[in-house]
Structures are given as C-alpha cells and as structure tokens.
Amino acid sequence: MRRMHIGLQVDDLDESIEFYTRLFGCEPTLQRPDYAKWMLDDPRVNFSLDTHGSGQPGSAHYGIQVETPEELAAMRDHIDAADLPRSDQADLVCGYQLQHKSWVTDPNGLWWEAFFTEGVVDEGYGTAEMPDP
C-alpha cells in the first residue's frame, strides 16, 4: 500500500510540532532535535517537519512512500513508462531513516520522491541534498 509524503521545512520546530500535534490529535511518531514525523493512517500520510535545506520556511517536497522494495521497483517502472526522467538514490540516510529513492520534478520544478524506508537509524538526520534533475 502507498502512503502520501509531505516534507515541510520550518523555522521553529518546537512551535510547529505543537501546532501539528494539535491539528492531527497525536504526538509525532519519530522526533529528534531537528526533525519530527507523523505516520498518519487517516488520512494515510507520512508528514515530516525539518529545519534543513536552503528553501524558505513552508517550502516542501512531496512523495509516495511504498512498503516493499518490489513496490519501489514497480514505481520506477511506472515513472519510466510515463517517460519522466528520474534520479535514483540508494542506501542513504534521510530523516533518520535508511532509504532508497527515485526523484522526479514537475513542470514547475517541484520535487516528488518515490521511496522505500528500511528502518530508523540513530546516526543523524542524513542528507538534505536532492540529486541533479
């Protein structure tokens, strides 16, 4: 099953965590000093906040999270069949998780990722760098 992902850059993480905790009615699933994530089931969304990157507060990237490597392969096949150029990343730490990703950009330059997460890691937030389009 797929889950929508919204990764939002914020100025004040504590203030944003308090706001979204109240909005969603639950505490973050994963929280670090520079990151917070909610794995919501209704609606089925992976919503994360971070203080990394070079964009303005409120800038975001979007994605589709899959549950298995096979689903990621199917998403990559779908992207290729749609004739969309993609950039892949494997075995990277992002948002305190080991992930494998494929990126595409929309006509306005908005980043979308298809990704599979293997699990949580403790060695740091990871990369905030996007691949070359």
Side-chain angles (χ1 to χ4, degrees):
M1 182 176 290
R2 298 177 190 172
R3 181 185 300 264
M4 181 65 74
H5 169 59
I6 302 168
L8 185 63
Q9 186 174 334
V10 299
D11 257 346
D12 186 321
L13 186 64
D14 292 333
E15 182 178 63
S16 295
I17 289 171
E18 196 249 321
F19 173 85
Y20 286 105
T21 295
R22 289 170 51 203
L23 179 66
F24 298 146
C26 62
E27 296 291 325
T29 307
L30 176 64
Q31 188 172 343
R32 299 289 190 267
D34 55 351
Y35 180 81
K37 177 181 77 169
W38 288 259
M39 293 292 280
L40 304 171
D41 288 324
D42 185 16
R44 193 164 163 79
V45 175
N46 168 344
F47 183 86
S48 66
L49 305 173
D50 71 73
T51 57
H52 300 275
S54 58
Q56 295 290 327
S59 61
H61 70 272
Y62 303 90
I64 300 169
Q65 182 176 8
V66 298
E67 295 180 352
T68 67
E70 294 78 18
E71 288 179 323
L72 181 57
M75 285 293 301
R76 288 175 171 166
D77 289 344
H78 174 79
I79 291 167
D80 293 344
D83 199 29
L84 298 171
R86 67 178 166 94
S87 297
D88 297 335
Q89 295 175 309
D91 299 320
L92 74 141
V93 173
C94 182
Y96 296 94
Q97 297 154 100
L98 180 60
Q99 297 182 343
H100 312 282
K101 303 181 178 205
S102 291
W103 292 92
V104 297
T105 55
D106 81 356
N108 296 298
L110 184 64
W111 285 95
W112 278 86
E113 64 179 321
F115 67 101
F116 166 68
T117 300
E118 283 193 41
V120 175
V121 298
D122 292 323
E123 64 232 28
Y125 175 81
T127 183
E129 294 181 27
M130 305 290 199
D132 292 331

